[in-house]
Structures are given as C-alpha cells and as structure tokens.
Amino acid sequence: MRKSMIAKLMSLVLGAGVLLGSLGAPQAEAADDRYRFDFGSGPVEQGYIGVSASDKYTAKKGYGFNTPENMRNLPASGTGVASDSVQFVTYGTKSTNTFNVDLPPGLYEVDVTLGNTSRSSVAAEGVYQIINMTGNGAVDKFQIPVSDGQLNLLVTEGKAGAMFTLSALDIKLISNKPVTNRTIWIGGDSTVCNYYPLDSSVQAGWGQLLPQFIDPKAFQVRNMASGGQIARGFLNDGQMEAILKYIKPGDYFILQLGINDTNPKNTTTEAQFKEYMREMIRLAKAKGATVILSTPQGRASDFNTSGVHFSENRWYRHSTVALAQEEGVPLVDLNVLSSAYFTSIGPEATLALYMTGDTLHPNRNGARELARIVVEELRRQGMDGF
C-alpha cells in the first residue's frame, strides 16, 4: 500500500530540511491531518507547500499536477497566498489535467482560494464540488470523502472565456471514515445560488443564507444552484451528477426551479419542465434521500391595488405543486409563504429586500428572510433535524 502523503512530506520537509517553492521561501510545516498548498511562482506563505505550474505529480512526493504542460503560473491581485496562482489551460470535470494529492482514506474539508477569475467552478473526482465562484480571490469550501488514497482536483469553467485559476488549497482531515456528514443539497437558480464573498455579498440567494439557520453539527449545506439555470440544465449539465455521486439516506435535496424555464429562449414547455423535475426527484429518492420541492418567490412588484402580494400563476408553480403530490414529496410553497410575508410588511419594505432596480433578485436581507421562511416551513412540517 502506498505510504501516506504526510510521511513523504515529513521526509522531504523535516528530514531533508528542504525549502519548498521559490528560493528562500519559508519551510513548509506538515501535520498529519492538514495539507496546505500555495500555488504559483511567487513567495510561499509560512506553513504552506509551494507548488509551481511545472510541478509534476510523483508518488515519491505525493502531490503535483497530472499534466503540468497544461498549467501556467500567473500573478493574482490578492495578498499572501492569493498573490499568485496557477491557471488550468485544459479543463472540464472529466479532464485529466488535475492537481493530485495523496491522502489517507477519510473525510476531508477542502478550503479553496481562487486567483483572478470572473467565474469559475471547482471539480474533484470527476464531478462539480463548487459552482460558479465569482470575483478575484474568491474563497469557498466543501467536504469530500477520499477512499482511494488520492484527491484529484481542478478549477473549471463557470463562464466561457474566463481564466480558471487556483491560488491555494487548505485540506483538513475531519474524520477517518470516508463518509460525508449529513447534507442538505440545494438545486436552483440565481434566486437560490451563492454569491461572493459569501459572508458579505450584497446580492445573495436564499441557499447561500440557509446555513445561518442550520446547526452545522447536524448538517453541512451544499448549494449547487447556479444563475440562469433550468431544470433540463441542472439534470444534464453536471450539477445533478455531482449530487447523485454523494447523496445518501438521511440527506435532504431541496429543488427549486421554474423561473428560467418559463423564458421562451429556453424552449422548455411546462410538460417538459415537470418531467425533468420528476426524473431528478426519482433519482435522488432512489439513493435514499428525502426530496423537497420549493416554488420560487414572486417579484417585489407583485402587489395588487389592495396591497396584497400575489404571484401564484408564475414560474410553472402549479406543476411543481402537482408534482409534489404525485411523487409524494414534501413541498415548501415559498411562492405563497413569501407573498404572505411581503403582504404583511407592505410594498416599500418588500422592495427594500430586493436588489436596487431589480424586482426579481433578493439582496442579502431578502435572501435571509427567504431562507428563514424555508426553514420555518420545514420545521412546521416536522422535518427531522430542523
């Protein structure tokens, strides 16, 4: 059996006293449950292992790029580990142009810091892990089970024409068992997805704010929603594939789509929308997970002359409601629940929960209120763990 990566690192770093990365970089500090990599050709931060684009994986050192000829060193506009980066010249979730690191079997938390990029996704083990990180130096994390002794990771497309860059990885062992914690998986569109920086973005999706209402000891939240998404795309373009790779009994899968499906440019009839959603429900249920359907909230402007917010005829809502009944899955009718809340606070206060000049997309406060409504409804329905 291959020696653990840390034994190799200890031999390289402590035994031989080698300085990793650029000349004069501080000595990397290895620990048997943490692996930290600083990518690019610049100075290496204290406690990190420096990795240049030319560093090829070898079993002896236990890390490196599978095809370094398809990597490139680039500067980045951040500081510390975010001051330089590597670019993945070839990419795609199935690409062999990966950064490989040998790891003992277990469950790991991987903190990712990107370089300069407008929008990039992170893939590992052949599937998406994080969807559409935006902005230079964006930071996010995910849990991943490793059972084959090696993590294979790359940064890939979130937007055609963007550069896909990586500045740093911080990989921490959180369990010796390669099984993910109980997980709430989320599928959706721009009203649900993450925006960056995660803790301070002005715009936010309710899936991004859901962790504020969840006990992190009970669940991890994996938000796989993305802006502009439709049911056909979520099913066929890799997001559902990633969920199905890891979803398990005890997990929840909350699915909210319909806004973009109703746009004529996406050529999705209501009947087609319903069947795409049905297939995702059945695939997740077959893995033993609990599927929860949610209907999208309406626009801030959906008030009638009596001051009542009403948007029940939008976004293929009726098909989502019918599908929940037909497939026997719980429904969060966020459309109706949010309308009741908006009616209670009035048009002016409702508008303040949306982005300026935008009656569809919630701002951070609006996303927080929607997340609160979702959790309160799940708790009311007796969902275990809320």
Side-chain angles (χ1 to χ4, degrees), residues 327-342:
E327 295 297 319
V329 300
L331 173 72
V332 174
D333 201 349
L334 184 59
N335 182 289
V336 170
L337 294 170
S338 63
S339 283
Y341 173 68
F342 295 152

Side-chain angles (χ1 to χ4, degrees), residues 205-268:
W206 65 254
Q208 176 181 344
L209 275 295
L210 194 73
Q212 293 189 2
F213 301 91
I214 301 297
D215 181 358
K217 295 180 181 178
F219 289 106
Q220 64 155 336
V221 177
R222 295 290 296 275
N223 189 2
M224 303 299 286
S226 60
Q229 191 55 281
I230 59 176
R232 181 178 66 245
F234 197 91
L235 173 62
N236 295 330
D237 294 343
Q239 287 152 288
M240 193 65 195
E241 175 192 25
I243 292 171
L244 291 173
K245 184 177 179 70
Y246 300 111
I247 200 168
K248 61 190 181 301
D251 286 359
Y252 291 114
F253 175 34
I254 307 175
L255 181 59
Q256 177 185 298
L257 289 163
I259 292 177
N260 298 297
D261 298 84
T262 61
N263 190 321
K265 73 176 183 180
N266 289 316
T267 64
T268 303

Side-chain angles (χ1 to χ4, degrees), residues 163-183:
M163 289 193 302
F164 311 121
T165 59
L166 176 64
S167 283
L169 292 175
D170 187 346
I171 305 169
K172 292 169 283 190
L173 178 68
I174 56 178
S175 172
N176 290 320
K177 295 182 179 179
V179 179
T180 55
N181 292 348
R182 196 175 181 194
T183 305

Side-chain angles (χ1 to χ4, degrees), residues 31-328:
D32 59 5
D33 60 354
R34 193 167 190 175
Y35 314 84
R36 305 168 84 187
F37 298 96
D38 181 354
F39 296 92
S41 58
V44 179
E45 288 297 298
Q46 180 69 37
Y48 284 76
I49 300 165
V51 183
S52 172
S54 61
D55 286 339
K56 185 174 178 62
Y57 170 83
T58 66
K60 182 177 180 179
K61 65 183 179 183
Y63 66 88
F65 293 104
N66 192 49
T67 54
E69 62 272 19
N70 296 322
M71 299 301 302
R72 172 180 306 156
N73 289 317
L74 286 179
S77 58
T79 59
V81 293
S83 65
D84 56 353
S85 67
V86 290
Q87 178 189 2
F88 290 80
V89 179
T90 62
Y91 45 85
T93 58
K94 310 305 180 190
S95 173
T96 60
N97 187 31
T98 54
F99 176 69
N100 303 334
V101 52
D102 294 343
L103 298 172
L107 178 65
Y108 291 84
E109 182 176 86
V110 181
D111 286 67
V112 180
T113 302
L114 298 187
N116 289 4
T117 181
S118 56
R119 189 164 74 197
S120 296
S121 296
V122 177
E125 310 310 308
V127 297
Y128 287 117
Q129 300 292 336
I130 305 173
I131 298 294
N132 290 352
M133 296 172 70
T134 53
N136 297 340
V139 177
D140 205 344
K141 62 185 176 182
F142 61 93
Q143 284 184 12
I144 188 167
V146 174
S147 57
D148 62 358
Q150 189 176 82
L151 175 67
N152 312 106
L153 179 145
L154 77 159
V155 181
T156 186
E157 61 245 90
K159 179 181 180 181
M163 289 193 302
F164 311 121
T165 59
L166 176 64
S167 283
L169 292 175
D170 187 346
I171 305 169
K172 292 169 283 190
L173 178 68
I174 56 178
S175 172
N176 290 320
K177 295 182 179 179
V179 179
T180 55
N181 292 348
R182 196 175 181 194
T183 305
I184 301 172
W185 299 92
I186 304 173
D189 53 35
S190 58
T191 65
V192 184
C193 71
N194 290 345
Y195 295 84
Y196 295 83
L198 288 172
D199 59 355
S200 61
S201 64
V202 176
Q203 184 171 353
W206 65 254
Q208 176 181 344
L209 275 295
L210 194 73
Q212 293 189 2
F213 301 91
I214 301 297
D215 181 358
K217 295 180 181 178
F219 289 106
Q220 64 155 336
V221 177
R222 295 290 296 275
N223 189 2
M224 303 299 286
S226 60
Q229 191 55 281
I230 59 176
R232 181 178 66 245
F234 197 91
L235 173 62
N236 295 330
D237 294 343
Q239 287 152 288
M240 193 65 195
E241 175 192 25
I243 292 171
L244 291 173
K245 184 177 179 70
Y246 300 111
I247 200 168
K248 61 190 181 301
D251 286 359
Y252 291 114
F253 175 34
I254 307 175
L255 181 59
Q256 177 185 298
L257 289 163
I259 292 177
N260 298 297
D261 298 84
T262 61
N263 190 321
K265 73 176 183 180
N266 289 316
T267 64
T268 303
T269 67
E270 189 161 4
Q272 289 172 327
F273 166 77
K274 191 174 180 182
E275 292 313 306
Y276 292 135
M277 295 285 280
R278 190 191 306 278
E279 184 171 356
M280 288 188 279
I281 291 170
R282 292 182 175 181
L283 287 169
K285 286 175 70 175
K287 293 285 189 174
T290 298
V291 182
I292 301 163
L293 293 184
S294 176
T295 59
Q297 87 282 353
R299 292 182 177 274
S301 53
D302 287 334
F303 281 88
N304 63 23
T305 55
S306 300
V308 175
H309 192 277
F310 182 89
S311 59
E312 291 183 22
N313 296 322
R314 289 189 183 274
W315 321 136
Y316 291 160
R317 172 188 169 272
H318 297 300
S319 286
T320 300
V321 173
L323 190 56
Q325 296 173 340
E326 292 166 14
E327 295 297 319

